[in-house]
Amino acid sequence: MATVRLPDACQTDSLTDTPSTPKTPTHTSGNSSPGSTNSSPISTKSSSLGSVGPKYKLVTDGDIQVCRLNHTRTIVSKIMNSKYLRRWESHHVLLDHSEIRSLTPYGFMEMSVPYSSIEDVHIISRWDAGQKFCIRITIQDGSLLLQANNGYLRDQWLFAIQWKKHMYKYEKLLKSARRPEVLVKEIKQSC
């Protein structure tokens, strides 16, 4: 009986990359020979997996720049939130089970951000030209900006936060659903 070789989700090219440059993932196609790789970060469609798109290693913690913006509409808050007066803080951020928190809770990250309070997470692409690779996390009282060193690291943080947020939501749904039809309905609506 022949063994079926499943594609690896993500392999790094080498271990000698400098820390400032991200490791470029390589993806192997299910129907390729064992030695060939595709160095594009975009995976090829595999009939067994059915997924298309970039694959990133999930980030659980790391050093990142943080800025918090208040969405109050007073003149003073608009001036304080302008890009010229914006203050960035360095934090070692953890993506915990139910919240985003800092190992050093001070300043902007004095209070953790529960996944249940996150309204939206998206990339701020207009800042990429200025080498500011940012993610905006919209919460009830404002926004939390995370600035990574490069676009690849920013995308890793984005997908990790989205994944953790969805996992929190579905775990809560699984724990609270009493009837199977309600659970099926919720899962179909979110897909």
Side-chain angles (χ1 to χ4, degrees), residues 47-119:
S47 60
S48 63
L49 298 177
S51 65
V52 175
K55 295 185 190 307
Y56 299 98
K57 181 179 177 185
L58 286 177
V59 176
T60 56
D61 67 317
D63 295 316
I64 198 158
Q65 296 287 314
V66 178
C67 180
R68 190 178 287 251
L69 303 177
N70 294 325
H71 288 183
T72 56
R73 295 295 175 207
T74 65
I75 297 294
V76 174
S77 69
K78 286 183 181 182
I79 292 170
M80 294 304 293
N81 289 331
S82 72
K83 70 178 183 177
Y84 300 110
L85 296 177
R86 199 169 289 150
R87 186 181 58 144
W88 293 90
E89 295 176 349
S90 295
H91 284 273
H92 189 86
V93 175
L94 258 71
L95 300 182
D96 266 350
H97 184 69
S98 61
E99 63 189 8
I100 300 171
R101 66 180 181 90
S102 176
L103 281 182
T104 53
Y106 70 90
F108 297 134
M109 291 299 294
E110 188 172 2
M111 301 292 292
S112 61
V113 179
Y115 295 121
S116 58
S117 71
I118 296 176
E119 297 172 2

Side-chain angles (χ1 to χ4, degrees), residues 141-187:
D141 61 343
S143 293
L144 188 67
L145 302 178
L146 304 180
Q147 181 180 341
N149 292 333
N150 56 52
Y152 183 82
L153 191 58
R154 176 206 53 204
D155 291 347
Q156 277 188 304
W157 277 96
L158 173 72
F159 288 110
I161 292 168
Q162 288 174 335
W163 186 82
K164 287 279 196 172
K165 182 179 181 241
H166 283 93
M167 288 302 294
Y168 177 79
K169 174 186 167 186
Y170 291 127
E171 184 177 302
K172 188 175 163 187
L173 177 66
L174 284 171
K175 287 180 180 179
S176 65
R178 301 284 180 230
R179 298 186 330 228
E181 59 270 6
V182 172
L183 182 62
V184 171
K185 178 184 172 192
E186 288 292 326
I187 291 173

